[in-house]
mmCIF file of all heavy atoms in Angstrom:
data_model
loop_
_atom_site.group_PDB
_atom_site.id
_atom_site.type_symbol
_atom_site.label_atom_id
_atom_site.label_comp_id
_atom_site.label_asym_id
_atom_site.label_seq_id
_atom_site.Cartn_x
_atom_site.Cartn_y
_atom_site.Cartn_z
ATOM 1 N N VAL A 92 10.713 -15.062 -3.231
ATOM 2 C CA VAL A 92 10.379 -13.960 -2.566
ATOM 3 C C VAL A 92 11.688 -13.452 -1.730
ATOM 4 O O VAL A 92 11.994 -14.052 -0.799
ATOM 5 C CB VAL A 92 9.270 -14.011 -1.578
ATOM 6 C CG1 VAL A 92 9.000 -12.677 -0.841
ATOM 7 C CG2 VAL A 92 8.074 -14.540 -2.371
ATOM 8 N N PRO A 93 12.524 -12.577 -2.229
ATOM 9 C CA PRO A 93 13.785 -12.184 -1.650
ATOM 10 C C PRO A 93 13.653 -11.441 -0.374
ATOM 11 O O PRO A 93 12.545 -10.857 -0.020
ATOM 12 C CB PRO A 93 14.468 -11.197 -2.743
ATOM 13 C CG PRO A 93 13.295 -10.582 -3.437
ATOM 14 C CD PRO A 93 12.187 -11.756 -3.507
ATOM 15 N N GLN A 94 14.645 -11.560 0.385
ATOM 16 C CA GLN A 94 14.657 -10.688 1.727
ATOM 17 C C GLN A 94 14.662 -9.183 1.406
ATOM 18 O O GLN A 94 14.006 -8.455 2.176
ATOM 19 C CB GLN A 94 15.839 -11.146 2.524
ATOM 20 C CG GLN A 94 15.923 -10.437 3.881
ATOM 21 C CD GLN A 94 17.074 -10.953 4.751
ATOM 22 O OE1 GLN A 94 17.735 -11.882 4.243
ATOM 23 N NE2 GLN A 94 17.330 -10.284 5.846
ATOM 24 N N GLU A 95 15.459 -8.629 0.449
ATOM 25 C CA GLU A 95 15.477 -7.402 0.150
ATOM 26 C C GLU A 95 14.158 -6.791 -0.540
ATOM 27 O O GLU A 95 13.576 -7.493 -1.347
ATOM 28 C CB GLU A 95 16.722 -7.039 -0.755
ATOM 29 C CG GLU A 95 18.069 -7.447 -0.210
ATOM 30 C CD GLU A 95 18.306 -8.993 -0.309
ATOM 31 O OE1 GLU A 95 17.606 -9.703 -1.133
ATOM 32 O OE2 GLU A 95 19.210 -9.453 0.392
ATOM 33 N N LEU A 96 13.811 -5.610 -0.189
ATOM 34 C CA LEU A 96 12.616 -5.068 -0.695
ATOM 35 C C LEU A 96 12.939 -4.393 -2.131
ATOM 36 O O LEU A 96 13.289 -3.129 -2.253
ATOM 37 C CB LEU A 96 12.052 -3.905 0.174
ATOM 38 C CG LEU A 96 11.418 -4.424 1.448
ATOM 39 C CD1 LEU A 96 11.168 -3.350 2.433
ATOM 40 C CD2 LEU A 96 10.157 -5.240 1.197
ATOM 41 N N SER A 145 3.225 0.505 3.295
ATOM 42 C CA SER A 145 3.923 0.197 4.568
ATOM 43 C C SER A 145 4.877 -0.990 4.232
ATOM 44 O O SER A 145 4.871 -1.658 3.238
ATOM 45 C CB SER A 145 2.945 -0.203 5.657
ATOM 46 O OG SER A 145 2.395 -1.419 5.321
ATOM 47 N N GLY A 146 5.792 -1.306 5.275
ATOM 48 C CA GLY A 146 6.643 -2.275 5.134
ATOM 49 C C GLY A 146 6.011 -3.706 4.893
ATOM 50 O O GLY A 146 6.453 -4.463 4.028
ATOM 51 N N GLY A 147 4.983 -3.905 5.726
ATOM 52 C CA GLY A 147 4.297 -5.170 5.524
ATOM 53 C C GLY A 147 3.530 -5.286 4.205
ATOM 54 O O GLY A 147 3.501 -6.421 3.620
ATOM 55 N N MET A 148 3.065 -4.303 3.710
ATOM 56 C CA MET A 148 2.409 -4.330 2.288
ATOM 57 C C MET A 148 3.451 -4.588 1.203
ATOM 58 O O MET A 148 3.133 -5.177 0.265
ATOM 59 C CB MET A 148 1.643 -3.024 2.097
ATOM 60 C CG MET A 148 0.401 -2.699 2.908
ATOM 61 S SD MET A 148 -0.373 -1.134 2.666
ATOM 62 C CE MET A 148 -1.771 -1.215 3.832
ATOM 63 N N ARG A 149 4.602 -3.984 1.403
ATOM 64 C CA ARG A 149 5.690 -4.232 0.461
ATOM 65 C C ARG A 149 6.103 -5.632 0.443
ATOM 66 O O ARG A 149 6.350 -6.197 -0.601
ATOM 67 C CB ARG A 149 6.922 -3.254 0.725
ATOM 68 C CG ARG A 149 6.555 -1.840 0.608
ATOM 69 C CD ARG A 149 7.718 -0.882 0.773
ATOM 70 N NE ARG A 149 7.414 0.445 0.852
ATOM 71 C CZ ARG A 149 8.236 1.439 0.832
ATOM 72 N NH1 ARG A 149 9.525 1.228 1.031
ATOM 73 N NH2 ARG A 149 7.828 2.741 0.956
ATOM 74 N N ARG A 150 6.193 -6.136 1.638
ATOM 75 C CA ARG A 150 6.451 -7.733 1.759
ATOM 76 C C ARG A 150 5.400 -8.475 0.969
ATOM 77 O O ARG A 150 5.628 -9.356 0.156
ATOM 78 C CB ARG A 150 6.382 -8.118 3.173
ATOM 79 C CG ARG A 150 7.527 -7.624 3.969
ATOM 80 C CD ARG A 150 8.847 -8.447 3.719
ATOM 81 N NE ARG A 150 10.047 -7.759 4.336
ATOM 82 C CZ ARG A 150 11.209 -8.093 4.017
ATOM 83 N NH1 ARG A 150 11.575 -8.911 2.995
ATOM 84 N NH2 ARG A 150 12.331 -7.441 4.684
ATOM 85 N N ARG A 151 4.110 -8.119 1.217
ATOM 86 C CA ARG A 151 3.057 -8.811 0.432
ATOM 87 C C ARG A 151 3.151 -8.557 -1.123
ATOM 88 O O ARG A 151 2.814 -9.471 -1.845
ATOM 89 C CB ARG A 151 1.667 -8.351 0.991
ATOM 90 C CG ARG A 151 1.393 -9.131 2.325
ATOM 91 C CD ARG A 151 -0.057 -8.534 2.793
ATOM 92 N NE ARG A 151 -0.030 -7.333 3.615
ATOM 93 C CZ ARG A 151 -0.966 -6.657 3.934
ATOM 94 N NH1 ARG A 151 -2.190 -6.943 3.377
ATOM 95 N NH2 ARG A 151 -0.904 -5.639 4.771
ATOM 96 N N LEU A 153 5.933 -8.273 -2.696
ATOM 97 C CA LEU A 153 6.932 -9.229 -3.179
ATOM 98 C C LEU A 153 6.463 -10.589 -3.335
ATOM 99 O O LEU A 153 6.790 -11.350 -4.434
ATOM 100 C CB LEU A 153 8.072 -9.198 -2.073
ATOM 101 C CG LEU A 153 9.000 -7.983 -2.032
ATOM 102 C CD1 LEU A 153 10.130 -8.156 -1.031
ATOM 103 C CD2 LEU A 153 9.629 -7.708 -3.363
ATOM 104 N N LEU A 167 10.325 -18.498 0.359
ATOM 105 C CA LEU A 167 10.147 -17.255 1.041
ATOM 106 C C LEU A 167 11.378 -16.887 1.845
ATOM 107 O O LEU A 167 11.793 -17.762 2.783
ATOM 108 C CB LEU A 167 9.043 -17.332 1.988
ATOM 109 C CG LEU A 167 7.610 -17.646 1.392
ATOM 110 C CD1 LEU A 167 6.518 -17.847 2.389
ATOM 111 C CD2 LEU A 167 7.259 -16.521 0.350
ATOM 112 N N ASP A 168 12.240 -16.006 1.537
ATOM 113 C CA ASP A 168 13.521 -15.760 2.212
ATOM 114 C C ASP A 168 13.229 -14.561 3.223
ATOM 115 O O ASP A 168 13.093 -13.531 2.835
ATOM 116 C CB ASP A 168 14.634 -15.339 1.177
ATOM 117 C CG ASP A 168 15.960 -15.265 1.883
ATOM 118 O OD1 ASP A 168 16.062 -15.613 3.052
ATOM 119 O OD2 ASP A 168 16.925 -14.844 1.081
ATOM 120 N N GLU A 169 13.098 -14.998 4.481
ATOM 121 C CA GLU A 169 12.880 -14.064 5.629
ATOM 122 C C GLU A 169 11.639 -13.176 5.258
ATOM 123 O O GLU A 169 11.728 -11.900 5.255
ATOM 124 C CB GLU A 169 14.112 -13.142 5.850
ATOM 125 C CG GLU A 169 15.377 -13.867 6.147
ATOM 126 C CD GLU A 169 15.410 -14.381 7.565
ATOM 127 O OE1 GLU A 169 14.513 -13.947 8.437
ATOM 128 O OE2 GLU A 169 16.174 -15.278 7.903
ATOM 129 N N PRO A 170 10.470 -13.763 5.078
ATOM 130 C CA PRO A 170 9.286 -13.039 4.638
ATOM 131 C C PRO A 170 8.837 -12.022 5.628
ATOM 132 O O PRO A 170 8.143 -11.086 5.292
ATOM 133 C CB PRO A 170 8.301 -14.177 4.202
ATOM 134 C CG PRO A 170 8.684 -15.170 5.243
ATOM 135 C CD PRO A 170 10.140 -15.214 5.321
ATOM 136 N N THR A 171 9.072 -12.173 6.928
ATOM 137 C CA THR A 171 8.471 -11.263 7.938
ATOM 138 C C THR A 171 9.496 -10.441 8.532
ATOM 139 O O THR A 171 9.229 -9.788 9.646
ATOM 140 C CB THR A 171 7.746 -12.177 8.982
ATOM 141 O OG1 THR A 171 8.762 -13.008 9.623
ATOM 142 C CG2 THR A 171 6.626 -12.895 8.340
ATOM 143 N N ALA A 172 10.711 -10.266 7.972
ATOM 144 C CA ALA A 172 11.776 -9.471 8.508
ATOM 145 C C ALA A 172 11.313 -8.003 8.594
ATOM 146 O O ALA A 172 10.922 -7.349 7.548
ATOM 147 C CB ALA A 172 13.072 -9.545 7.760
ATOM 148 N N GLY A 173 11.293 -7.301 9.784
ATOM 149 C CA GLY A 173 11.023 -5.970 9.868
ATOM 150 C C GLY A 173 9.538 -5.709 9.938
ATOM 151 O O GLY A 173 9.113 -4.508 9.734
ATOM 152 N N VAL A 174 8.788 -6.701 10.001
ATOM 153 C CA VAL A 174 7.225 -6.477 9.941
ATOM 154 C C VAL A 174 6.629 -6.617 11.445
ATOM 155 O O VAL A 174 7.146 -7.359 12.256
ATOM 156 C CB VAL A 174 6.583 -7.723 9.165
ATOM 157 C CG1 VAL A 174 5.153 -7.558 9.044
ATOM 158 C CG2 VAL A 174 7.063 -7.536 7.704
ATOM 159 N N ASP A 175 5.639 -5.714 11.685
ATOM 160 C CA ASP A 175 5.155 -5.734 12.921
ATOM 161 C C ASP A 175 4.251 -6.855 13.223
ATOM 162 O O ASP A 175 3.923 -7.648 12.249
ATOM 163 C CB ASP A 175 4.469 -4.353 13.289
ATOM 164 C CG ASP A 175 3.123 -4.198 12.420
ATOM 165 O OD1 ASP A 175 2.550 -5.255 12.141
ATOM 166 O OD2 ASP A 175 2.927 -3.035 11.973
ATOM 167 N N LEU A 178 0.814 -7.321 11.001
ATOM 168 C CA LEU A 178 1.107 -7.626 9.600
ATOM 169 C C LEU A 178 1.805 -8.974 9.549
ATOM 170 O O LEU A 178 1.451 -9.743 8.495
ATOM 171 C CB LEU A 178 1.960 -6.545 9.006
ATOM 172 C CG LEU A 178 1.169 -5.321 8.869
ATOM 173 C CD1 LEU A 178 2.102 -4.225 8.309
ATOM 174 C CD2 LEU A 178 0.076 -5.331 7.853
ATOM 175 N N ARG A 179 2.600 -9.398 10.467
ATOM 176 C CA ARG A 179 3.147 -10.709 10.485
ATOM 177 C C ARG A 179 2.108 -11.832 10.491
ATOM 178 O O ARG A 179 2.193 -12.717 9.747
ATOM 179 C CB ARG A 179 4.160 -10.870 11.591
ATOM 180 C CG ARG A 179 4.913 -12.243 11.646
ATOM 181 C CD ARG A 179 5.925 -12.249 12.735
ATOM 182 N NE ARG A 179 6.881 -11.237 12.611
ATOM 183 C CZ ARG A 179 7.756 -10.950 13.622
ATOM 184 N NH1 ARG A 179 7.717 -11.731 14.692
ATOM 185 N NH2 ARG A 179 8.664 -9.994 13.444
ATOM 186 N N LEU A 182 0.484 -11.903 7.092
ATOM 187 C CA LEU A 182 1.324 -12.500 6.095
ATOM 188 C C LEU A 182 1.187 -14.157 6.263
ATOM 189 O O LEU A 182 1.143 -14.791 5.258
ATOM 190 C CB LEU A 182 2.814 -12.171 6.294
ATOM 191 C CG LEU A 182 3.266 -10.831 5.576
ATOM 192 C CD1 LEU A 182 4.581 -10.428 5.989
ATOM 193 C CD2 LEU A 182 3.141 -10.993 4.049
ATOM 194 N N TRP A 183 1.282 -14.574 7.470
ATOM 195 C CA TRP A 183 1.242 -15.982 7.716
ATOM 196 C C TRP A 183 -0.164 -16.693 7.413
ATOM 197 O O TRP A 183 -0.237 -17.746 6.956
ATOM 198 C CB TRP A 183 1.648 -16.406 9.169
ATOM 199 C CG TRP A 183 3.161 -16.473 9.268
ATOM 200 C CD1 TRP A 183 3.999 -15.652 9.839
ATOM 201 C CD2 TRP A 183 3.898 -17.539 8.612
ATOM 202 N NE1 TRP A 183 5.223 -16.138 9.672
ATOM 203 C CE2 TRP A 183 5.308 -17.245 8.987
ATOM 204 C CE3 TRP A 183 3.621 -18.633 7.840
ATOM 205 C CZ2 TRP A 183 6.274 -18.073 8.433
ATOM 206 C CZ3 TRP A 183 4.622 -19.361 7.440
ATOM 207 C CH2 TRP A 183 5.989 -18.984 7.609
ATOM 208 N N ILE A 186 0.166 -16.906 3.660
ATOM 209 C CA ILE A 186 0.955 -18.060 3.293
ATOM 210 C C ILE A 186 0.222 -19.403 3.612
ATOM 211 O O ILE A 186 0.431 -20.285 2.741
ATOM 212 C CB ILE A 186 2.349 -17.942 4.012
ATOM 213 C CG1 ILE A 186 3.181 -16.725 3.603
ATOM 214 C CG2 ILE A 186 3.131 -19.277 3.716
ATOM 215 C CD1 ILE A 186 4.251 -16.287 4.474
ATOM 216 N N LEU A 198 10.629 -22.136 3.326
ATOM 217 C CA LEU A 198 10.874 -20.945 4.095
ATOM 218 C C LEU A 198 12.231 -20.900 4.794
ATOM 219 O O LEU A 198 12.725 -21.922 5.189
ATOM 220 C CB LEU A 198 9.779 -20.964 5.216
ATOM 221 C CG LEU A 198 10.036 -20.020 6.404
ATOM 222 C CD1 LEU A 198 9.654 -18.571 5.977
ATOM 223 C CD2 LEU A 198 9.208 -20.446 7.634
ATOM 224 N N THR A 199 12.881 -19.639 4.645
ATOM 225 C CA THR A 199 14.052 -19.405 5.501
ATOM 226 C C THR A 199 13.667 -18.217 6.417
ATOM 227 O O THR A 199 13.046 -17.301 6.038
ATOM 228 C CB THR A 199 15.293 -19.062 4.699
ATOM 229 O OG1 THR A 199 15.184 -17.595 4.247
ATOM 230 C CG2 THR A 199 15.416 -19.955 3.494
ATOM 231 N N THR A 200 13.993 -18.418 7.740
ATOM 232 C CA THR A 200 13.664 -17.413 8.687
ATOM 233 C C THR A 200 14.692 -17.509 9.910
ATOM 234 O O THR A 200 15.072 -18.513 10.196
ATOM 235 C CB THR A 200 12.274 -17.563 9.087
ATOM 236 O OG1 THR A 200 12.016 -16.489 10.130
ATOM 237 C CG2 THR A 200 11.933 -18.938 9.759
ATOM 238 N N HIS A 201 14.843 -16.317 10.511
ATOM 239 C CA HIS A 201 15.515 -16.255 11.826
ATOM 240 C C HIS A 201 14.533 -16.266 12.948
ATOM 241 O O HIS A 201 14.986 -16.410 14.063
ATOM 242 C CB HIS A 201 16.447 -15.083 11.923
ATOM 243 C CG HIS A 201 17.776 -15.205 11.015
ATOM 244 N ND1 HIS A 201 18.684 -16.218 11.247
ATOM 245 C CD2 HIS A 201 18.122 -14.593 9.956
ATOM 246 C CE1 HIS A 201 19.595 -16.010 10.340
ATOM 247 N NE2 HIS A 201 19.338 -15.009 9.585
ATOM 248 N N TYR A 202 13.225 -16.174 12.684
ATOM 249 C CA TYR A 202 12.203 -16.263 13.681
ATOM 250 C C TYR A 202 11.875 -17.727 13.900
ATOM 251 O O TYR A 202 10.964 -18.256 13.102
ATOM 252 C CB TYR A 202 11.049 -15.444 13.223
ATOM 253 C CG TYR A 202 11.264 -13.951 13.206
ATOM 254 C CD1 TYR A 202 11.253 -13.329 11.914
ATOM 255 C CD2 TYR A 202 11.594 -13.182 14.295
ATOM 256 C CE1 TYR A 202 11.469 -11.982 11.791
ATOM 257 C CE2 TYR A 202 11.827 -11.782 14.087
ATOM 258 C CZ TYR A 202 11.738 -11.231 12.997
ATOM 259 O OH TYR A 202 11.934 -9.847 12.738
ATOM 260 N N GLU A 205 8.343 -19.172 14.007
ATOM 261 C CA GLU A 205 7.540 -19.281 12.888
ATOM 262 C C GLU A 205 7.776 -20.677 12.218
ATOM 263 O O GLU A 205 6.810 -21.189 11.775
ATOM 264 C CB GLU A 205 7.877 -18.185 11.877
ATOM 265 C CG GLU A 205 7.558 -16.829 12.329
ATOM 266 C CD GLU A 205 8.054 -15.706 11.298
ATOM 267 O OE1 GLU A 205 8.776 -15.969 10.428
ATOM 268 O OE2 GLU A 205 7.456 -14.548 11.476
#
Side-chain angles (χ1 to χ4, degrees):
V92 181
Q94 182 177 351
E95 299 79 15
L96 292 171
S145 68
M148 291 178 181
R149 295 181 190 186
R150 290 282 174 198
R151 281 184 267 164
L153 286 179
L167 306 173
D168 190 3
E169 300 287 345
T171 60
V174 175
D175 65 38
L178 287 174
R179 185 178 298 170
L182 274 173
W183 274 111
I186 294 167
L198 166 75
T199 77
T200 181
H201 286 297
Y202 298 111
E205 293 183 343

